Amino acid sequence: KIIAENVQGCKQPHYFGSAGAGFIFLCKDDQTIYLQKRNTRGGIGQWGFPGGGFSPKILGFIPYERFFDTPIDEKHRFKPDDPAFMKNAQREVVEETGSMPQHQLVDVHIYEDCGFIYKTFITNMPAAEQSKWKPRIDSENLDHGWYPISEFLKMDLFFGFTNPLIQRVLKNVKA
């Protein structure tokens, strides 16, 4: 299932990268979500998920990151089915947590804003895998951990958690 969210008019004046991708890790067994408290680039102190921006010069998993004004021009745009989204999302998880955990992909959400596309891979991690995964905290984050879905809705969330994405998370954790 791929759910696309289209925004009319440019919601943001620029983005870090011309595209972005990340992972949301859910544990349906105990109704929790893995979150990170941000320490960088707009949103310090807000809660988000592992992910980040990238642009067409991503070679060998080394992102060419810079700010791109919206709308993103044609030569820097990605198509939603580009494999660079998964590669970047995996690279970001390893960069921000130290390892890529075992998980099951359950949904994909696409956010589009004036040529910028952010693809979020929503996953389920069974409790047995959750207990094995030992993510570390990196310099981009102040804190991290597994939080009950009921608490998630009360947290100060990073702008990447749009209403449609939050609804996808809630649907998938309860499915």
Side-chain angles (χ1 to χ4, degrees), residues 8-142:
Q8 298 299 321
C10 296
K11 189 171 183 176
Q12 299 287 327
H14 56 264
Y15 287 95
F16 195 68
S18 64
F23 273 93
I24 292 178
F25 296 109
L26 303 173
C27 181
K28 293 179 186 183
D29 296 339
D30 64 5
Q31 302 283 292
T32 57
I33 183 171
Y34 177 77
L35 296 170
Q36 301 171 314
K37 193 170 192 177
R38 297 176 56 85
N39 189 32
T40 59
R41 296 190 282 278
I44 291 177
Q46 292 180 317
W47 293 90
F49 50 89
F54 61 98
S55 57
K57 291 191 179 177
I58 185 169
L59 299 172
F61 298 104
I62 300 170
Y64 173 71
E65 296 176 332
R66 68 176 177 89
F67 283 100
F68 284 83
D69 291 333
T70 54
I72 306 294
D73 61 76
E74 279 299 318
K75 79 175 190 176
H76 291 104
R77 285 187 187 183
F78 285 86
K79 297 204 178 329
D81 62 349
D82 194 307
F85 285 100
M86 179 61 81
K87 289 178 184 176
N88 186 69
Q90 291 170 334
R91 181 191 59 77
E92 287 284 344
V93 169
V94 172
E95 177 185 303
E96 295 178 21
T97 70
S99 64
M100 186 68 186
Q102 294 294 315
H103 62 273
Q104 301 151 343
L105 184 65
V106 295
D107 206 348
V108 177
H109 180 83
I110 297 173
Y111 168 87
E112 294 183 61
D113 180 20
C114 292
F116 177 85
I117 295 175
Y118 196 99
K119 196 168 187 177
T120 305
F121 300 96
I122 302 170
T123 70
N124 178 49
M125 187 184 306
E129 293 300 326
Q130 181 190 37
S131 65
K132 291 179 195 174
W133 188 43
K134 305 295 183 213
R136 63 165 169 71
I137 196 165
D138 74 341
S139 63
E140 292 184 24
N141 298 292
L142 300 167

